[in-house]
Amino acid sequence: IMVLTDPEFESSKYRLTFYILSLLFHPSEEDWALAYSHDQKLYSSVDFGRKWQLIHEHVTPNRFYWSVLGLDKEPDLVHMEAHTPDGNVQYVTCKAQMCTEANRNYPFPGYIDISSLVVQDDYIFIQVPTSGRATYYVSYKRDSFIQIKLPKYSLPKDLHIVSTDEKQVFAAVQEWNQNDTYNLYLSDTKGIYFTLAMENVKTTRGIGGNQMLDLYEVAGIKGMLIANKRQDNQVKTYITYNKGRDWRLLQAPATDLDGNDIHCILPFCSLHLQLQMSENPYLSGTISTKDSAPGIIVATGNIGAELSYNNVGMFISSDAGNSWRQIFEEEHNVWFLDKGGALVAVKQPSVPTRHLWVSFDEGRQWIQHSFSSVPLFVDGVLVEAGAENQIMTFFGHFSHRSEWQLIKIDYKSIFSRKCTEEDYQTWHLHNQGEPCVMGQKQIYMKRRPGNYCMLGKDYSRILSAESCICRAHDFECDYGYERRGDGNCRPAFWFNPSTVSRSCSQGQNYLNSTGYRKVVLNNCTKGVKEMYTARKQQCPNRPPKGLVLTTKDGKLTANLGSNVTFLVHLDEGDSLRTNIQLDFGDGTAVSYSNLSWTEEGIKHVYKSAGIFRVTALAENTLGYDTTTLFLHVTCPVEHVQLLAPFVVIRNKEVNITAVVLPSHSRTVTYFWWLGNNTEPVITLDGSISFTFPNEGMHTITVQVAAANTMLQDTKTIAVKEFFKSLLLSFSPNLDEFNPDIPEWRQDVGRVIKKALLQEQLLVAVFPGVPTAAELFLLPHKNQTEGKKKSEEELEQVSNIIVSALNQNLVEFELKPGVRVIVYNTQLTLAPLVDSNPRHSSSAMLMLLSVVFLGLAVFLIYKFKRKIPWINIYAEVNQEKEQEMIGSVGQGESTPKITLSEFSTSKELMEKELDCQGQK
């Protein structure tokens, strides 16, 4: 239920059809809101929540944004990160009340990493996985996305956008060799080229488990930051006045609260501050500053060799961090009153209190006021709820079991009057006495400490700002350069300064870096500016060099029929006078008269699957360069069928084939499990040869992988020393009931097998009509000796079956009134490896047994019972140290006899065999 309070209407409540997890209100249209539901759906309302419209399903939590005023053309535009049905993630934009598929836009081509979309001020950031590494892209003022350039070997594991509000990007990067620290990088104005500002910035784990960077931007003074850096297993607090170009330690107070001297000498001892922002928006956190009170910093900290969370106190600076004073021995929450004209302090919520302290002289003196007759655990304070209201609202509880208490305090009465010109004084911003900060001298107007007057809303902070002459500290190292021990910027070992931009053409100019760039928003003029600023130089005429060919999404795979966009990049060479040729590898090619025509990418659609050699050639009058990539164009596999003979000869090579539909060329990977092996054989060919060394029933399995699809088929092969086979045909009436599907053949085979007693027959029924099959006569599975004799016996059985087939004595009933006669087609030679196409077709889909009626059944049954299949085995009984011999018989579990008894058994066995006319 959403309860709405509107001053123009009575309060009302509306029952919603979804559960709201979070709300995001429009920055300027007060009636517009986005709502995110528990089932990852995003809704919009333009009437303050009375009606809701579904925008998109499967939206990533906290990755949706309203349009940015002045940058997005439509005020109701919504930026979001949404999931596709196949699990990929895309950057999507659309209007809040009109977000059908036809009205959606995809500003970045291709997929992005989950939870990577950030829309902030002039910038949009995304992350794309490429070759196992994270690649980041930025769009500046809604232009095309360009890959972010970090130092070549930073190899980030994680990247967070810290700030974008000072015409550049602050990014925290956790590099490959870091665990609990991050490096701080600063970009150029467009957010593309990043340089290192500080290494090993400490992180603190928040209540929700998030890593919080110990970095704080001081409000009211641009370019001023405070950071905690880990160095030599110690954490120290540093401050910068020029956006990280230079850092220094904080000078500790000269005396403590009692006026005693503190002997703290830099760099061995300094002041260290806790820089955690409060996760409760109604508490001040461990450090506080305010735009309307420039130069005033209140923070929790300690004095010593390193940052500590023991023996902490509260410290304040009135001159932007140049000097510090201690104001409390215990931790307090501190808020700014009257636009920073006064300070109010309350003890931490863990301690109940009845008092608050107010200071009018920037923390030098504190006046105690009582706001409650009963001590209150203060959970939060809301200050300056209205523009003209001098009201603070305290909320908390008297005990852990009590309800919340709200106490409103009107602090207007503590001011005697409104401030006049005589109540103000000027304050010069400086850095350890250096008046030029960020390239200018800034003079602020602030109230004289101790004057109990109210500033009012017309209070102006900056009185004047005068540009300074440029000096070295106004410039930082450019991208690809590092600051050495002598303070100069030199090229990093991986950077080639002579590389000319690919947009450089003969007759044009380019900016040749000096290794320096001016700190963003630095306002200095003249001085060394000309010496450090990149110089215009005429583009040299060079042969093409460093040609790079990639796809726009960075992948080397594409789906059949999709648009593939190729990007061509040239490190050196005249882009306007260099001819570019691109051969797509499928018989088509394109040519461009200069490189500038290819900046948006070269699109191509492949009409067949395969691996294509794509070649780019850059050529001008001085030479050429070429490069190649291999693109895998795939489409999903829909069906796989394993073709293998049913019976094979032991130790004789057999061909096995996997038929894939639709047919693919070189883009399918085959995984074969053969001969009961546990590890697969991997091939790119759909056929494989294999030799089975052992008799028995062997399972073969093939898996085929193409694109994101994986299919499998399995077959069973009988491996024998020898066998006989017959080709069978059937009376035509069977074809009328043959749907030509594997299931039908399996069902027919199941009915036939149920009536069969002869286990030594295998039948493969072929698909298609007229219906046909092949019958295999196999030796008994326990036969190990007498191959010649067994072959003669199989020949006898074959003759009997052929005779029965020729006399039309073999038939079966398919259904009532439908009897099917089985015929002999021809006799084939063993082994089953010949040129007959049936053997290699998709016909042999199952193992069947055939029922033979009349004479055939009788003869086969009788023949089977007359042949004694013999097993003899030996084993050693180690306990009795006596050799044991297995007895003779057809049963699988036979009694064991001793070696001494073997001679008698042997004689009896020979007599039994001789009685049956066999050896």
Side-chain angles (χ1 to χ4, degrees):
I1 296 175
M2 186 172 187
V3 180
L4 307 177
T5 302
D6 193 321
E8 298 180 7
F9 304 96
E10 293 184 2
S11 296
S12 55
K13 62 182 179 180
Y14 296 84
R15 186 170 296 277
L16 305 179
T17 59
F18 58 93
Y19 291 93
I20 294 179
L21 284 186
S22 61
L23 285 171
L24 181 66
F25 288 94
H26 194 277
S28 58
E29 298 291 337
E30 60 182 20
D31 288 341
W32 295 4
L34 300 177
Y36 186 74
S37 70
H38 72 292
D39 54 356
Q40 295 188 320
K41 294 179 180 178
L42 187 65
Y43 298 84
S44 68
S45 173
V46 294
D47 58 1
F48 202 55
R50 292 170 177 82
K51 296 177 183 177
W52 292 93
Q53 173 86 30
L54 177 64
I55 298 179
H56 206 296
E57 297 180 341
H58 307 298
V59 176
T60 305
N62 302 316
R63 298 295 169 175
F64 48 88
Y65 308 85
W66 276 112
S67 63
V68 178
L69 188 65
L71 289 174
D72 294 304
K73 296 179 180 178
E74 298 91 2
D76 60 342
L77 190 73
V78 178
H79 305 263
M80 63 192 134
E81 183 182 290
H83 298 244
T84 62
D86 57 359
N88 291 307
V89 182
Q90 287 180 303
Y91 167 32
V92 185
T93 61
C94 63
K95 290 188 175 183
Q97 296 283 300
M98 193 183 300
C99 197
T100 60
E101 183 60 45
N103 295 313
R104 293 172 184 167
N105 292 311
Y106 302 89
F108 181 80
Y111 301 125
I112 66 174
D113 275 348
I114 189 172
S115 298
S116 69
L117 176 66
V118 175
V119 180
Q120 200 165 297
D121 296 321
D122 292 343
Y123 308 92
I124 300 176
F125 305 92
I126 56 167
Q127 177 180 326
V128 177
T130 305
S131 303
R133 297 179 185 174
T135 305
Y136 303 90
Y137 286 81
V138 63
S139 168
Y140 176 64
K141 292 190 174 179
R142 306 306 185 258
D143 285 343
S144 299
F145 280 90
I146 298 176
Q147 185 176 338
I148 286 176
K149 300 292 186 183
L150 289 164
K152 187 173 183 178
Y153 295 108
S154 65
L155 306 178
K157 294 192 297 185
D158 191 21
L159 182 147
H160 291 281
I161 304 302
V162 177
S163 171
T164 57
D165 55 3
E166 289 194 351
K167 302 300 181 184
Q168 69 178 148
V169 181
F170 287 61
V173 177
Q174 189 172 58
E175 303 191 9
W176 63 273
N177 56 350
Q178 294 178 306
N179 293 316
D180 58 351
T181 61
Y182 280 70
N183 289 349
L184 179 65
Y185 285 89
L186 301 183
S187 76
D188 58 351
T189 301
K190 292 186 176 182
I192 300 172
Y193 294 98
F194 283 77
T195 58
L196 182 65
M198 173 175 273
E199 291 184 300
N200 294 319
V201 179
K202 175 184 173 292
T203 58
T204 303
R205 190 170 296 279
I207 297 176
N210 297 323
Q211 290 279 79
M212 310 295 289
L213 196 69
D214 273 25
L215 176 72
Y216 185 80
E217 282 189 82
V218 177
I221 300 176
K222 65 181 180 181
M224 185 174 173
L225 300 101
I226 304 175
N228 285 329
K229 178 180 180 179
R230 184 179 297 279
Q231 189 172 11
D232 299 328
N233 294 322
Q234 290 185 325
V235 177
K236 299 175 182 286
T237 301
Y238 290 82
I239 191 169
T240 179
Y241 293 84
N242 53 7
K243 287 195 170 185
R245 196 287 192 190
D246 301 291
W247 297 87
R248 64 171 175 81
L249 296 167
L250 299 181
Q251 178 66 60
T255 60
D256 59 17
L257 277 176
D258 299 324
N260 302 315
D261 290 340
I262 298 177
H263 301 284
C264 184
I265 302 174
L266 294 172
F268 310 103
C269 173
S270 60
L271 175 64
H272 308 283
L273 305 180
Q274 298 178 23
L275 303 178
Q276 289 82 48
M277 299 289 290
S278 173
E279 296 190 24
N280 179 350
Y282 303 107
L283 296 176
S284 65
T286 59
I287 184 167
S288 296
T289 58
K290 195 172 183 65
D291 284 325
S292 58
I296 299 179
I297 308 170
V298 184
T300 303
N302 68 283
I303 299 171
E306 62 178 324
L307 178 67
S308 172
Y309 294 90
N310 300 317
N311 300 319
V312 299
M314 297 297 298
F315 299 87
I316 190 170
S317 174
S318 301
D319 55 3
N322 286 282
S323 62
W324 295 83
R325 303 184 308 275
Q326 187 173 359
I327 54 176
F328 295 109
E329 290 183 342
E330 298 174 293
E331 292 186 61
H332 285 65
N333 281 285
V334 179
W335 294 271
F336 293 84
L337 301 182
D338 187 31
K339 303 188 184 302
L343 300 173
V344 60
V346 178
K347 282 187 177 181
Q348 287 281 19
S350 58
V351 181
T353 182
R354 295 185 295 114
H355 305 289
L356 58 84
W357 287 260
V358 178
S359 174
F360 292 91
D361 55 4
E362 299 173 348
R364 293 176 176 84
Q365 293 183 341
W366 293 87
I367 304 171
Q368 179 178 293
H369 293 269
S370 176
F371 64 87
S372 174
S373 59
V374 179
L376 181 74
F377 290 92
V378 179
D379 294 315
V381 176
L382 183 63
V383 181
E384 293 188 4
E388 295 297 320
N389 295 333
Q390 281 75 41
I391 292 177
M392 292 184 293
T393 304
F394 280 61
F395 57 92
H397 52 277
F398 293 130
S399 70
H400 293 291
R401 295 182 180 179
S402 68
E403 297 178 345
W404 270 11
Q405 309 294 320
L406 267 68
I407 302 174
K408 303 189 78 173
I409 301 173
D410 187 342
Y411 60 87
K412 188 175 182 179
S413 60
I414 64 176
F415 298 103
S416 59
R417 55 186 173 80
K418 283 192 174 183
C419 295
T420 61
E421 290 187 8
E422 288 75 21
D423 294 308
Y424 294 97
Q425 66 180 19
T426 58
W427 170 68
H428 295 253
L429 174 64
H430 66 94
N431 174 14
Q432 298 289 282
E434 169 56 55
C436 291
V437 176
M438 289 292 288
Q440 61 182 3
K441 298 176 181 178
Q442 301 175 54
I443 302 176
Y444 292 82
M445 186 169 63
K446 60 196 310 185
R447 187 178 55 190
R448 295 179 185 276
N451 287 13
Y452 289 71
C453 63
M454 187 181 299
L455 295 176
K457 64 178 182 179
D458 295 327
Y459 170 57
S460 178
R461 300 186 305 277
I462 299 180
L463 185 63
S464 67
E466 177 186 348
S467 294
C468 299
I469 299 298
C470 289
R471 290 181 289 176
H473 63 251
D474 296 310
F475 293 82
E476 61 189 3
C477 291
D478 203 353
Y479 175 78
Y481 291 80
E482 296 173 339
R483 192 173 302 280
R484 301 300 169 86
D486 59 3
N488 294 320
C489 296
R490 302 286 171 80
F493 76 95
W494 50 265
F495 183 69
N496 181 9
S498 63
T499 301
V500 181
S501 171
R502 67 188 178 106
S503 61
C504 189
S505 301
Q506 187 178 12
Q508 294 184 342
N509 297 321
Y510 73 99
L511 292 175
N512 188 14
S513 175
T514 62
Y516 300 85
R517 68 184 186 191
K518 193 163 77 164
V519 175
V520 176
L521 295 184
N522 185 293
N523 292 318
C524 73
T525 59
K526 300 179 181 179
V528 299
K529 182 178 181 180
E530 185 175 349
M531 181 175 67
Y532 283 117
T533 302
R535 301 180 180 92
K536 276 189 178 182
Q537 293 188 0
Q538 189 172 7
C539 295
N541 191 12
R542 297 180 177 180
K545 186 177 179 182
L547 183 64
V548 178
L549 175 64
T550 61
T551 58
K552 194 164 188 177
D553 60 4
K555 297 180 180 179
L556 295 177
T557 61
N559 292 326
L560 182 65
S562 64
N563 238 326
V564 183
T565 302
F566 295 96
L567 299 178
V568 181
H569 172 77
L570 192 63
D571 284 341
E572 296 183 19
D574 186 345
S575 61
L576 293 181
R577 299 174 186 268
T578 298
N579 179 61
I580 298 295
Q581 299 177 30
L582 190 61
D583 186 337
F584 298 110
D586 61 351
T588 59
V590 293
S591 179
Y592 295 89
S593 58
N594 65 69
L595 192 63
S596 61
W597 292 103
T598 69
E599 288 184 354
E600 295 298 321
I602 304 170
K603 292 182 171 59
H604 184 66
V605 177
Y606 287 89
K607 298 182 179 178
S608 63
I611 303 175
F612 297 93
R613 180 189 179 103
V614 186
T615 304
L617 172 68
E619 187 176 21
N620 63 17
T621 57
L622 297 179
Y624 70 92
D625 194 10
T626 184
T627 186
T628 299
L629 67 78
F630 293 91
L631 183 72
H632 293 241
V633 179
T634 62
C635 66
V637 175
E638 297 177 3
H639 179 72
V640 59
Q641 190 170 21
L642 189 58
L643 305 182
F646 270 83
V647 187
V648 300
I649 299 298
R650 185 174 71 90
N651 289 329
K652 190 155 187 177
E653 191 174 73
V654 62
N655 291 326
I656 303 167
T657 301
V659 177
V660 173
L661 295 176
S663 61
H664 290 60
S665 173
R666 300 181 301 160
T667 61
V668 175
T669 304
Y670 298 83
F671 300 84
W672 307 88
W673 282 267
L674 305 166
N676 302 322
N677 291 335
T678 58
E679 293 296 325
V681 177
I682 303 173
T683 69
L684 296 177
D685 190 3
S687 295
I688 191 171
S689 297
F690 188 74
T691 301
F692 292 91
N694 301 315
E695 283 191 281
M697 304 303 293
H698 294 265
T699 299
I700 58 173
T701 299
V702 65
Q703 289 184 342
V704 295
N708 294 322
T709 309
M710 179 80 76
L711 295 180
Q712 174 177 308
D713 194 17
T714 300
K715 291 288 176 288
T716 301
I717 292 180
V719 180
K720 295 293 180 180
E721 285 283 352
F722 51 89
F723 63 88
K724 299 292 289 184
S725 67
L726 297 171
L727 289 179
L728 305 178
S729 58
F730 302 88
S731 53
N733 60 344
L734 181 61
D735 296 341
E736 300 175 15
F737 302 96
N738 185 354
D740 195 23
I741 60 174
E743 291 87 345
W744 180 83
R745 291 188 287 273
Q746 291 171 357
D747 288 338
V748 171
R750 195 175 300 114
V751 174
I752 295 172
K753 188 174 183 179
K754 190 175 181 181
L756 183 69
L757 296 176
Q758 175 58 270
E759 297 178 355
Q760 293 153 244
L761 298 180
L762 293 178
V763 176
V765 178
F766 303 115
V769 290
T771 309
E774 186 160 8
L775 181 146
F776 303 94
L777 290 86
L778 309 179
H780 193 275
K781 62 182 179 180
N782 293 326
Q783 182 69 44
T784 58
E785 295 181 355
K787 177 179 178 182
K788 183 176 180 180
K789 184 70 174 179
S790 296
E791 287 179 337
E792 294 175 356
E793 294 162 357
L794 286 184
E795 187 69 33
Q796 295 174 15
V797 175
S798 174
N799 293 335
I800 295 171
I801 294 175
V802 169
S803 176
L805 292 171
N806 290 338
Q807 298 178 58
N808 296 339
L809 297 177
V810 182
E811 62 179 15
F812 60 90
E813 187 175 61
L814 183 68
K815 57 187 299 185
V818 179
R819 303 194 72 79
V820 179
I821 300 175
V822 184
Y823 305 101
N824 173 39
T825 303
Q826 71 178 76
L827 182 67
T828 62
L829 298 176
L832 179 60
V833 179
D834 60 23
S835 59
N836 192 318
R838 292 188 183 278
H839 297 159
S840 60
S841 71
S842 59
M844 303 178 191
L845 295 176
M846 53 192 165
L847 295 175
L848 298 176
S849 297
V850 169
V851 58
F852 300 97
L853 305 179
L855 178 62
V857 172
F858 172 77
L859 291 174
I860 295 171
Y861 177 77
K862 181 179 179 182
F863 188 71
K864 174 184 177 185
R865 303 300 296 172
K866 291 292 288 183
I867 301 177
W869 303 100
I870 301 168
N871 261 339
I872 299 178
Y873 69 93
E875 66 179 24
V876 176
N877 187 326
Q878 294 181 352
E879 292 181 1
K880 296 183 180 180
E881 297 182 354
Q882 186 179 32
E883 188 175 0
M884 306 293 287
I885 303 297
S887 69
V888 180
Q890 287 182 262
E892 293 182 0
S893 58
T894 56
K896 296 176 181 177
I897 57 177
T898 64
L899 184 60
S900 61
E901 296 173 313
F902 176 71
S903 59
T904 305
S905 300
K906 183 172 181 290
E907 293 174 0
L908 292 173
M909 179 177 66
E910 288 175 345
K911 289 180 181 180
E912 173 68 18
L913 292 176
D914 186 66
C915 182
Q916 297 186 25
Q918 302 177 62
K919 290 294 184 184

